[in-house]
Amino acid sequence: MTNSGLITNTRTVIDNNLFSQYSLGKTALVAQGGGQRGIFTSGVLDAFLLSNFDPFDEFYGTSAGALNLCAFLSRQPGLGKSFIVDLTTHSNFFNLFGFIRRKQYLDMRWALDKISAYPYQLDIDMGQRVKGNRQAFAAVTDFCSLKDQYLPMLEHDWFDVLVATSAIPQLVDGPVVVRDQSYIDGGVSAAIPVQEAWRRGNRVIVVIRTEDAQSDLTPSPVIHNDGTSETWLSDSFSTLQNQWQQKMSEWSKDWGDFFEAQLSKANQHSHAQHLNLINGGRWLFGASDIYRLSHMFGEKFDSGIADMLMVHYQTYDLTQAFLNQPPDDSFVLQIAPSETLKSSSLLSNVDDILHDYQLGLDAGYRFIDSYQALCIRDKQQLDSDSHWVLANRR
């Protein structure tokens, strides 16, 4: 028995009786990042919108998760999907060879300019009205302290907030300044900002994940109803390296031999052994990959990157522990795909993205059915208890 549940596109795992003890509490919606894997979140939230489902008191998102929440609050089904399918796959957003040859950075500002204009037109005014007195936050990382911070979304500086929460180290041109402070991607310190939702008094926390249900954050087994960690940053550099290797092998075997020699040289460097000790070389997009790419492109692997690696390892480990065993005064419901998403953080195939969007839609509709059934059950129990009290008073 555990105070957590799991809902995927194929199954529901919740302890109904335990959930009923928390169902009347303050409820938050938390959206993980994941880059183009955020298409799963887009599908979940579109299912919510198409079902007129919004029982939430507060909202927390990181990177792509924050953008998806803005589309949800603006009541624009399909907008998050369009952002990922149309814009993040465009060469103006990110071009592998432009990045390698000319250090042409990922251009989140270009994508947000596009999504704000015709034919997309993100409706910030509607988002502000729908949000009303509720709170919505984007997770960012303070560039100096590497501590997580939470900036209000859908305010006058919404554009800079969304750029900041997605400012991937090494893929963007430096930190982003918002309200006189410098920030980088929230995934460094708060890939899944569930602890902040709990700290602010939410006791039912719904978390939309971009990892499959078999990941290391899957909750412990609980009662069934009758009825590898990836984030926006998690495999970005790994994907780049794989794409680069593929192109190189297509062009020339000789170049492929040179490439392998460069990787071997990087592995022999004094930093390589040190990095392998940091969370198994995983971090947001793989410690070994980020070092190797820096080496290949003639950049130094400085202490700042090493600090980010350590911060992410520590905070992500705490998040894993929180989701596996939430505090006794809260209930965590995770929405996750039943299988590993076909999409990557970057450079995904459009067909793979659309496949993952459908998984999100299916999971979203299943969650609505399960959640409403639980709430109806709790309301009936509450009404029954009220009638019993009134009858005994007579």
Side-chain angles (χ1 to χ4, degrees):
M1 302 274 285
T2 181
N3 50 326
S4 64
L6 172 68
I7 297 176
T8 75
N9 46 295
T10 60
R11 65 192 179 104
T12 301
V13 186
I14 303 175
D15 184 333
N16 296 340
N17 294 325
L18 192 56
F19 175 80
S20 65
Q21 301 176 25
Y22 303 86
S23 59
L24 299 180
K26 186 178 171 184
T27 302
L29 179 61
V30 176
Q32 182 179 4
Q36 290 173 339
R37 294 177 186 236
I39 193 66
F40 177 81
T41 305
S42 300
V44 172
L45 294 179
D46 278 355
F48 288 5
L49 287 175
L50 295 173
S51 303
N52 194 29
F53 178 79
D54 182 4
F56 307 107
D57 300 301
E58 291 185 351
F59 305 87
Y60 301 82
T62 298
S63 193
L67 187 281
N68 274 314
L69 287 177
C70 285
F72 174 74
L73 288 167
S74 297
R75 295 299 188 257
Q76 292 176 277
L79 189 68
K81 174 185 177 184
S82 295
F83 183 86
I84 293 175
V85 173
D86 298 348
L87 301 180
T88 69
T89 60
H90 198 286
S91 60
N92 284 354
F93 178 73
F94 184 77
N95 182 278
L96 175 63
F97 302 109
F99 173 76
I100 291 173
R101 291 182 297 177
R102 301 186 301 274
K103 202 63 177 181
Q104 179 179 321
Y105 292 102
L106 183 149
D107 197 346
M108 187 67 178
R109 293 184 181 276
W110 172 84
L112 289 177
D113 279 334
K114 286 292 185 182
I115 207 68
S116 304
Y118 179 84
Y120 308 106
Q121 294 182 317
L122 175 62
D123 193 342
I124 296 298
D125 291 337
M126 174 61 76
Q128 291 172 340
R129 291 195 294 272
V130 169
K131 181 171 71 70
N133 294 326
R134 297 183 291 179
Q135 300 293 313
F137 299 96
V140 294
T141 301
D142 185 280
F143 181 65
C144 296
S145 67
L146 297 183
K147 293 182 179 179
D148 55 317
Q149 302 289 333
Y150 300 88
L151 302 180
M153 293 194 292
L154 297 170
E155 303 292 340
H156 69 281
D157 55 358
W158 67 269
F159 188 99
D160 290 334
V161 168
L162 289 181
V163 173
T165 190
S166 305
I168 305 173
Q170 300 286 84
L171 284 187
V172 299
D173 188 14
V176 178
V177 177
V178 182
R179 304 179 186 184
D180 298 325
Q181 297 292 324
S182 296
Y183 300 106
I184 54 176
D185 195 304
V188 173
S189 58
I192 310 173
V194 62
Q195 292 103 319
E196 182 67 11
W198 175 76
R199 284 192 291 264
R200 290 178 182 262
N202 292 282
R203 292 303 173 255
V204 175
I205 306 174
V206 178
V207 181
I208 306 176
R209 302 287 306 283
T210 52
E211 298 162 332
D212 66 86
Q214 303 304 317
S215 73
D216 58 354
L217 296 184
T218 300
S220 303
V222 292
I223 297 174
H224 286 253
N225 277 351
D226 295 332
T228 84
S229 150
E230 305 293 343
T231 66
W232 171 255
L233 301 177
S234 60
D235 67 344
S236 298
F237 272 84
S238 179
T239 300
L240 295 182
Q241 187 179 32
N242 290 337
Q243 292 276 346
W244 182 246
Q245 283 181 294
Q246 181 179 351
K247 291 298 181 182
M248 293 302 98
S249 61
E250 290 173 358
W251 289 346
S252 169
K253 183 179 183 302
D254 290 339
W255 172 255
D257 292 339
F258 171 75
F259 182 86
E260 292 300 325
Q262 289 294 89
L263 292 185
S264 177
K265 182 179 179 181
N267 274 333
Q268 295 171 7
H269 195 278
S270 59
H271 280 298
Q273 185 62 33
H274 168 68
L275 294 179
N276 287 334
L277 299 177
I278 302 178
N279 200 22
R282 178 179 59 81
W283 193 45
L284 306 157
F285 30 72
S288 59
D289 291 321
I290 191 174
Y291 172 72
R292 290 172 181 175
L293 283 168
S294 296
H295 179 87
M296 287 175 60
F297 304 148
E299 297 181 350
K300 293 182 179 180
F301 187 97
D302 60 26
S303 60
I305 294 296
D307 289 343
M308 291 180 195
L309 291 170
M310 186 58 69
V311 167
H312 175 76
Y313 168 71
Q314 293 171 339
T315 58
Y316 207 94
D317 191 53
L318 290 173
T319 299
Q320 175 178 326
F322 186 99
L323 291 174
N324 283 341
Q325 189 172 358
D328 291 340
D329 62 352
S330 63
F331 196 100
V332 174
L333 280 170
Q334 295 189 65
I335 306 174
S338 61
E339 60 192 66
T340 301
L341 296 178
K342 293 185 176 181
S343 306
S344 301
S345 294
L346 285 172
L347 305 173
S348 304
N349 180 281
V350 171
D351 289 340
D352 290 341
I353 293 175
L354 294 177
H355 170 272
D356 294 342
Y357 175 76
Q358 186 61 50
L359 294 183
L361 274 177
D362 294 343
Y365 286 127
R366 176 176 284 272
F367 177 83
I368 294 168
D369 291 342
S370 301
Y371 188 88
Q372 290 180 336
L374 288 170
C375 290
I376 290 173
R377 178 178 178 275
D378 292 341
K379 184 177 185 303
Q380 290 174 341
Q381 182 63 45
L382 184 63
D383 290 342
S384 175
D385 292 344
S386 298
H387 290 316
W388 184 88
V389 171
L390 290 173
N392 279 273
R393 282 179 178 174
R394 296 192 187 100

